[in-house]
Amino acid sequence: MQIQNSFWRRLLCCLALVLPAAAAQIELTGRVVNENEAPVGGAKVTVHTGVGAWLTETEPTGTFKLILPGPGNYMVGVEREGYYELKNFPVEAGVSRDVTLVINSLREVFQSVDVKEAPSPVDIEQSQNQEHLTGTEVNDIPYPSSHSLRNSMELLPGVVQDQAGGLHFNGSSENQMLYLLNGFNIADPITGQLNTNLGVEGVRSMDFSSGRYSPEYGKGSAGVLSIRTDTGTDAFHYTATDFIPGININEGVRFGDWYPRVGFSGPIVAGRAWFADNFQSEYNESVVTGLSRGQNTRTSWAGSNLLHTQVNITPTNILFADFLFNIENQTHYGLSPLDPVSTTQKTRGREYFGSLKDQIYLGHGALIEFGYAHNDFSDIQSPLGDSLYIYSPVGRSGNYFVTSTQTSARDQFLADGYLPAMHFLGTHQIKAGLDGDHLGYSGHFSRTGYELIGLSGDLLSTTRFQGTGVFQVPDTELSGYVVDNWRLSKRFQLDLGIREDHDQSIHASGFSPRVAFSWAPFASGRTRVAAGYAITYDAVNLGMLGRSLDQSALTTHYNADGTIAGPPTLTTFVPANRPLELPRAENWTASIDHRVTEHFFASARYLRRNITNGLTYVNSLDPYGTPYESPLPDSVFDGVYQLTNLRHDRYDSVDLSVRQTFTGQYEWMASFVHSRVLSNAVLDINSADPIQVVGNLNPAPWDTPNRALAWGYVPLPWKNWAVAVLADARGGFPFSVQDDTGRIIGPVDSHRYPMNFDLNVSIERMITLRGYRFALRLGMNNVTNQRNPTAVNNVVGAPQFLQFYGLEGRHFVVRIRFFGRSGVK
């Protein structure tokens, strides 16, 4: 009995101590917003005193909640990628009101300051397989043609650019990606490609997600590229870049390439509304090696302007608006060592884009947003004459055979909602949304014809076209999704989601279950293990559907003596004869990320993607016939090309990378990617729409088994001096060899270009002149003078067989940037 009384006395004493302490606990709630009061999700919030620290992360609506041991004075810090770190902000816990914490967007700096971008890639909140590129990196690293946002995407380890300029994200065709501008789809509805020009100075960040990514993104089996642009603040900012024309000394002194760009941002109404406007233009006069003087230049000019605005109607209701205009004009489009001036085209293109998004915060972590966007595209191509186009073993001649006018449009509606966080076996953050797109495509094609010339100079065939070539293709896409970010514990998160996509044109739907986890196996939180599985689908490109409404081809074949071999053969494209399915991909991913030190990170990633039901046209009379590389297979039999789901692609990769950041905007990165890209479709690198398949998988024309990439922007010992370096080494792209009729000889893509290596080095000096700030850069691209060819004669028996063309050469680069008055920050 005495023992029992002793036990109860001790228990009562413990309760007397514990209950007041529990009663003293207090809940600290608040929001993290940027300088314009827009919510910032995924930010680390740290509350600390001299004896302890408490950590949480904000929800997508910017809200957070922490249980503290009692009222009192605390210090709060906030970290988020793309923002300056907020340190030691004093907060008095116990006050009933919510705390609002403001973090400022990261911008380029003129002098070295402590910019701790704080993005530990080991956050378990981020379970997506994602690569991030900031606007400062886009402007600091000396990639080729650094005025081009498209070219900057090669700074991402998983992205390569082929000889024709096509982008390939983790082995995909360019039309297997979803491209977003401030949350809206900007892909060309005809091709599915990214044809939008944007000024690099106006880009805040680019996020490339693949494999495992949120079901809020669809219509791209290989992933999503999300481009975010700058937003103005209450301080006026302006920049000007390359505003002095370049000088070209090749074959005489003349104006060279010129890429003037201007950016301007600031308040419309201080504290209430802001704008950011970025204008870019370019004039190019390029010299093509391998052609005679006077016949070796091509010129082009283009312009683009993006206006982005934000209006805070109330502190909880924010309206975003964008307006984009693109225009471009090219002469001698397609000029190359094997394609002289007569074979080139004049091209004119334009694009309009406008969007509105209304974001409403409802309190308690709930947020809804509604958006509408309209895209309008136009593309006109015309040859330099109407003579027949000629294919021969030594190159092309005559005039290109296609005249076309293509227009397309997209109206996009979206609605998304974040529910308040729910607590059941952990914390659930649920997001759901709907997306509807109405698309239209109008085509007007007029073709002359082309001839095939044999090795001995004799005429093999002549192809002419018939039909009006005038058609229209409408389509409607509907999507819906729901995703649950389930935080089971401080060190483990599980993401569960489902998405459905429906395409009206082919009357097909696709369900996309997606699951991913993120786990910190050690209490230190410096290591993250993540993996996932996802089914993803491709959108249907309207150009693929329009082909069956286009012209037909009549081909006449000739004997060796020049006589006609028989009646002309007809080649037609027809719709599918059975229900089609959306192209479907299975994605398996795994990764390990480790924070070695505070600013040094290492990661290893694995990705496997298997795409089936890809859309392609196949000759129904000879489905697995000999593949050809001519515009249409040169066969004495009629061809009826039918739209099918027979395309099959496969991609595997292992990616190793390290990254280190320093004080200021200085950093470096190095990566190595080993990968394999296979396809059963005979892909022309200049076309996203193959028309043949083969019985087995072969390397795709952009297959790059090994790529080593390193870049950096680091300070020199002298104040305000820095060096920027890019080193990019990869294996050569594969290509096929063919006979004089265009028929592939041997295995598809059995040969390769030489190894490609670029070493670019630039020195930059920051100066202040008469109270204004400038950055002066002088550099050299292709320092080692590597050949890096872009074309090859692949005709067996031709005198120049396997001769490479389009050598890059070494060249100097000069850039001048203007940042405004030195006192403006």
Side-chain angles (χ1 to χ4, degrees):
M1 180 65 68
Q2 185 177 2
I3 295 177
Q4 290 181 347
N5 291 336
S6 175
F7 170 77
W8 286 111
R9 281 197 300 269
R10 291 178 183 178
L11 178 60
L12 290 173
C13 290
C14 291
L15 291 175
L17 294 174
V18 171
L19 290 177
Q25 287 186 341
I26 191 166
E27 183 179 272
L28 176 67
T29 60
R31 295 183 75 207
V32 174
V33 299
N34 67 10
E35 61 269 35
N36 295 342
E37 300 183 12
V40 178
K44 281 187 175 181
V45 179
T46 305
V47 180
H48 65 90
T49 64
V51 296
W54 299 264
L55 175 68
T56 189
E57 293 178 2
T58 61
E59 298 173 1
T61 57
T63 58
F64 69 90
K65 180 171 64 175
L66 269 173
I67 303 298
L68 301 177
N73 295 320
Y74 295 84
M75 306 302 289
V76 179
V78 182
E79 298 177 318
R80 181 68 167 94
E81 184 174 13
Y83 295 86
Y84 295 108
E85 181 183 11
L86 177 66
K87 293 182 178 180
N88 296 328
F89 183 80
V91 170
E92 183 181 354
V95 180
S96 58
R97 60 181 177 84
D98 286 350
V99 176
T100 300
L101 303 173
V102 180
I103 54 176
N104 295 315
S105 302
L106 182 67
R107 297 178 180 272
E108 287 187 278
V109 295
F110 179 66
Q111 292 184 343
S112 178
V113 297
D114 188 11
V115 183
K116 187 170 181 292
E117 211 173 325
S120 171
V122 300
D123 293 344
I124 68 168
E125 182 82 11
Q126 177 57 266
S127 62
Q128 295 190 90
N129 188 35
Q130 188 177 85
E131 295 182 48
H132 182 79
L133 199 62
T134 67
T136 53
E137 292 163 348
V138 168
N139 283 285
D140 287 343
I141 308 304
Y143 53 91
S145 300
S146 59
H147 66 283
S148 169
L149 187 65
R150 285 178 62 90
N151 288 358
S152 74
M153 296 173 192
E154 285 193 282
L155 299 177
L156 297 168
V159 182
V160 297
Q161 196 168 21
D162 61 40
Q163 301 97 316
L167 291 168
H168 304 282
F169 295 79
N170 283 348
S172 69
S173 298
E174 189 167 341
N175 59 6
Q176 292 173 330
M177 284 284 296
L178 172 66
Y179 303 97
L180 300 178
L181 176 62
N182 293 330
F184 292 97
N185 189 352
I186 56 170
D188 189 330
I190 302 174
T191 64
Q193 298 176 341
L194 178 64
N195 294 328
T196 301
N197 292 319
L198 294 168
V200 293
E201 281 79 13
V203 172
R204 179 178 165 187
S205 67
M206 291 190 292
D207 293 309
F208 167 40
S209 303
S210 63
R212 59 178 192 273
Y213 53 96
S214 173
E216 65 187 287
Y217 304 121
K219 305 175 186 177
S221 62
V224 55
L225 180 74
S226 179
I227 302 172
R228 299 286 179 179
T229 59
D230 276 339
T231 300
T233 66
D234 278 340
F236 284 102
H237 296 272
Y238 48 97
T239 63
T241 306
D242 287 340
F243 44 88
I244 298 176
I247 300 296
N248 194 327
I249 59 175
N250 288 336
E251 302 183 359
V253 178
R254 62 182 186 276
F255 282 121
D257 298 341
W258 188 20
Y259 310 109
R261 306 184 295 280
V262 178
F264 191 59
S265 65
I268 300 173
V269 177
R272 188 71 176 270
W274 306 267
F275 78 96
D277 188 85
N278 283 275
F279 169 80
Q280 85 150 15
S281 59
E282 60 182 86
Y283 172 82
N284 295 280
E285 186 172 331
S286 305
V287 176
V288 178
T289 58
L291 295 175
S292 60
R293 183 170 181 175
Q295 299 291 310
N296 62 347
T297 59
R298 58 185 176 215
T299 60
S300 65
W301 62 266
S304 150
N305 193 86
L306 173 64
L307 174 64
H308 176 73
T309 61
Q310 176 184 333
V311 179
N312 291 6
I313 301 173
T314 70
T316 58
N317 187 1
I318 302 176
L319 184 68
F320 302 91
D322 291 291
F323 180 75
L324 170 72
F325 173 70
N326 276 187
I327 189 170
E328 60 179 339
N329 188 301
Q330 297 189 57
T331 60
H332 300 165
Y333 174 74
L335 185 70
S336 80
L338 299 176
D339 299 274
V341 168
S342 66
T343 66
T344 62
Q345 305 169 72
K346 296 179 180 178
T347 67
R348 289 178 292 162
R350 64 161 175 78
E351 175 188 358
Y352 296 101
F353 170 82
S355 69
L356 284 172
K357 181 183 289 186
D358 191 13
Q359 190 177 85
I360 304 170
Y361 177 63
L362 302 176
H364 305 289
L367 180 145
I368 57 173
E369 59 182 16
F370 304 94
Y372 167 75
H374 175 79
N375 278 74
D376 193 88
F377 297 86
S378 175
D379 182 73
I380 300 174
Q381 297 186 355
S382 57
L384 302 187
D386 56 7
S387 61
L388 287 182
Y389 191 59
I390 299 173
Y391 284 88
S392 75
V394 296
R396 271 71 65 182
S397 60
N399 300 129
Y400 195 65
F401 60 95
V402 181
T403 300
S404 66
T405 299
Q406 301 180 80
T407 60
S408 62
R410 174 190 292 109
D411 289 284
Q412 181 179 1
F413 303 86
L414 59 83
D416 299 290
Y418 294 91
L419 300 181
M422 295 182 292
H423 303 279
F424 176 72
L425 299 178
T427 303
H428 299 262
Q429 178 65 63
I430 297 176
K431 181 180 181 182
L434 300 171
D435 182 13
D437 293 28
H438 179 71
L439 307 101
Y441 167 37
S442 296
H444 187 173
F445 290 85
S446 177
R447 298 174 177 84
T448 52
Y450 60 87
E451 294 179 345
L452 286 180
I453 304 298
L455 287 169
S456 59
D458 53 324
L459 178 63
L460 301 180
S461 66
T462 300
T463 298
R464 299 275 187 168
F465 292 85
Q466 63 181 21
T468 64
V470 180
F471 55 85
Q472 291 186 333
V473 180
D475 194 11
T476 299
E477 299 171 337
L478 298 173
S479 305
Y481 73 91
V482 61
V483 58
D484 180 9
N485 303 123
W486 183 7
R487 191 69 171 266
L488 282 85
S489 70
K490 183 179 179 180
R491 291 162 49 187
F492 191 87
Q493 177 165 306
L494 184 64
D495 293 343
L496 304 171
I498 186 73
R499 178 185 177 92
E500 180 184 10
D501 289 288
H502 176 78
D503 189 280
Q504 184 62 33
S505 62
I506 63 172
H507 305 288
S509 297
F511 289 91
S512 304
R514 304 185 193 182
V515 58
F517 75 85
S518 184
W519 173 45
F522 308 114
S524 66
R526 302 175 71 90
T527 302
R528 181 189 68 173
V529 177
Y533 171 79
I535 293 178
T536 55
Y537 292 89
D538 281 320
V540 177
N541 302 320
L542 301 188
M544 186 75 75
L545 302 179
R547 204 161 189 172
S548 63
L549 306 173
D550 204 344
Q551 292 179 293
S552 301
L554 279 173
T555 301
T556 301
H557 300 270
Y558 296 89
N559 297 313
D561 59 2
T563 60
I564 296 176
T569 60
L570 179 65
T571 301
T572 59
F573 291 83
V574 299
N577 64 352
R578 65 185 65 183
L580 293 173
E581 299 180 29
L582 290 173
R584 179 181 185 272
E586 285 189 284
N587 299 267
W588 297 89
T589 58
S591 63
I592 300 177
D593 300 282
H594 180 64
R595 189 171 192 164
V596 182
T597 65
E598 185 178 5
H599 299 291
F600 187 77
F601 306 95
S603 67
R605 301 180 181 183
Y606 171 75
L607 169 63
R608 162 165 285 190
R609 182 175 64 251
N610 189 42
I611 302 179
T612 56
N613 297 330
L615 294 175
T616 184
Y617 280 93
V618 174
N619 188 353
S620 60
L621 304 180
D622 189 13
Y624 296 100
T626 303
Y628 282 74
E629 285 198 338
S630 54
L632 294 172
D634 183 46
S635 173
V636 296
F637 304 103
D638 290 345
V640 179
Y641 285 86
Q642 200 160 55
L643 187 58
T644 70
N645 282 121
L646 292 180
R647 179 172 172 176
H648 181 194
D649 300 341
R650 181 178 297 168
Y651 178 74
D652 294 274
S653 73
V654 175
D655 175 1
L656 307 175
S657 65
V658 292
R659 179 189 294 259
Q660 185 175 15
T661 60
F662 304 97
T663 297
Q665 59 196 63
Y666 302 116
E667 62 179 321
W668 64 268
M669 186 279 299
S671 70
F672 176 77
V673 179
H674 177 68
S675 63
R676 181 183 62 170
V677 191
L678 303 175
S679 178
N680 73 332
V682 180
L683 302 169
D684 177 3
I685 204 165
N686 297 294
S687 172
D689 301 331
I691 61 172
Q692 301 170 85
V693 296
V694 292
N696 57 333
L697 294 173
N698 296 279
W702 49 83
D703 176 52
T704 309
N706 298 291
R707 184 193 185 199
L709 172 68
W711 48 256
Y713 184 73
V714 296
L716 291 173
W718 311 284
K719 185 179 180 180
N720 296 331
W721 287 84
V723 61
V725 179
L726 169 73
D728 189 358
R730 59 167 175 79
F733 292 130
F735 66 91
S736 302
V737 298
Q738 63 182 60
D739 64 14
D740 53 0
T741 69
R743 180 178 56 187
I744 292 178
I745 304 299
V748 173
D749 286 336
S750 56
H751 293 64
R752 286 189 179 269
Y753 281 81
M755 173 184 172
N756 192 99
F757 177 65
D758 274 301
L759 176 61
N760 303 339
V761 180
S762 293
I763 304 294
E764 190 162 64
R765 171 77 161 99
M766 306 291 188
I767 66 172
T768 300
L769 182 63
R770 295 183 180 273
Y772 292 92
R773 305 179 299 176
F774 295 85
L776 309 180
R777 173 174 290 194
L778 175 64
M780 179 183 291
N781 286 358
N782 193 18
V783 173
T784 62
N785 202 28
Q786 186 82 4
R787 297 176 64 197
N788 297 338
T790 58
V792 62
N793 187 315
N794 64 338
V795 180
V796 176
Q800 297 83 20
F801 178 55
L802 295 186
Q803 180 175 337
F804 293 96
Y805 303 90
L807 309 185
E808 181 179 347
R810 181 190 296 122
H811 52 282
F812 291 96
V813 176
V814 178
R815 189 181 76 176
I816 302 176
R817 299 191 67 198
F818 173 62
F819 292 92
R821 290 190 177 275
S822 59
V824 179
K825 297 182 179 181

